[in-house]
Amino acid sequence: MEIKHFSFATTESSRFVKIIRIIFGLVCISVAVFWLVFNIKSFKTDGMLWITIIFLSGFGFYQIWSGLGLATKFIEIGTDYIRLKKNPVLPHKAITAQEIERIELFPMNMIFFLKSGKRIMLRFGALYQDRNKNIKDEIIIFADINKIPYEIIVEKL
C-alpha cells in the first residue's frame, strides 16, 4: 500500500500566494518592531500598545508559518501508520497501527480509540463529501490490512 495524503485545505495555494503571505508576515513583524521601538521611548505606553504589538507579531509569525506550508491540515495514511494534523499551529500526531484498538466511522467524523484509553476525533467538513468518502475508504483499507476492528455508524435524523 502506498502512502495516501489528503489535505483538508479548501483551496491549494500557489507559490505566488505563499510568497505574498511570507512578505505580509515580515511586514507585520517589522511594523510591530517599529511600534515597539518608536513608542517605548514615550512615557505613555499603555495596554493597547502592547496588545497591538502582540497581535501584529503573532499574526506575522502565523503568516510566515502558513507561507512556508507548515500550517496545512492533513491526514496521511501509510501501511502501518496514520499521520494526522488537525490544527494549523500544533504539530502532527503519528499513530501506529499497533496503538489503535478500534475505529468508528460516522458520516461527518471518525474516532480512533487507542489502546492507551485515549480517543482521537477527526471531524470532516461538509463541503467536500467526495474527499471525505475517499478518506473513509482508505481508513477501511488501512484497518483491513492491519486487522483493526472498525464500525461504520449511520446516524439517522
Side-chain angles (χ1 to χ4, degrees), residues 1 17 21 30 35 43-44 51 65 80 91 96-97 101 103 109-110 139:
M1 179 178 166
V17 172
R21 283 184 183 162
S30 62
W35 275 53
F43 293 107
K44 291 185 177 183
I51 291 172
W65 186 261
D80 61 345
T96 62
E101 183 178 342
I103 303 170
N109 62 12
M110 72 175 60
I139 290 293

Side-chain angles (χ1 to χ4, degrees), residues 44-66:
K44 291 185 177 183
T45 57
D46 59 348
M48 291 302 285
L49 171 70
W50 293 109
I51 291 172
T52 304
I53 290 171
I54 290 170
F55 177 77
L56 280 172
S57 300
F59 187 71
F61 281 120
Y62 178 76
Q63 287 296 320
I64 293 171
W65 186 261
S66 177

Side-chain angles (χ1 to χ4, degrees), residues 81-125:
Y81 70 91
I82 294 174
R83 200 172 333 169
L84 178 64
K85 184 166 182 175
K86 301 187 301 181
N87 190 316
V89 180
L90 298 177
H92 68 272
K93 295 178 185 178
I95 311 166
T96 62
Q98 293 81 21
E99 293 178 85
I100 302 174
E101 183 178 342
R102 74 180 199 276
I103 303 170
E104 289 184 357
L105 300 161
F106 293 90
M108 296 303 286
N109 62 12
M110 72 175 60
I111 303 173
F112 297 98
F113 291 90
L114 304 182
K115 292 179 181 173
S116 65
K118 291 184 179 180
R119 296 187 310 174
I120 299 174
M121 184 186 315
L122 174 63
R123 296 181 193 270
F124 297 124

Side-chain angles (χ1 to χ4, degrees), residues 1-5 76-81 138 141 145:
M1 179 178 166
E2 62 189 47
I3 297 172
K4 301 286 184 170
H5 184 87
E76 186 177 276
I77 305 166
T79 55
D80 61 345
Y81 70 91
E138 290 299 324
I141 293 170
I145 290 173

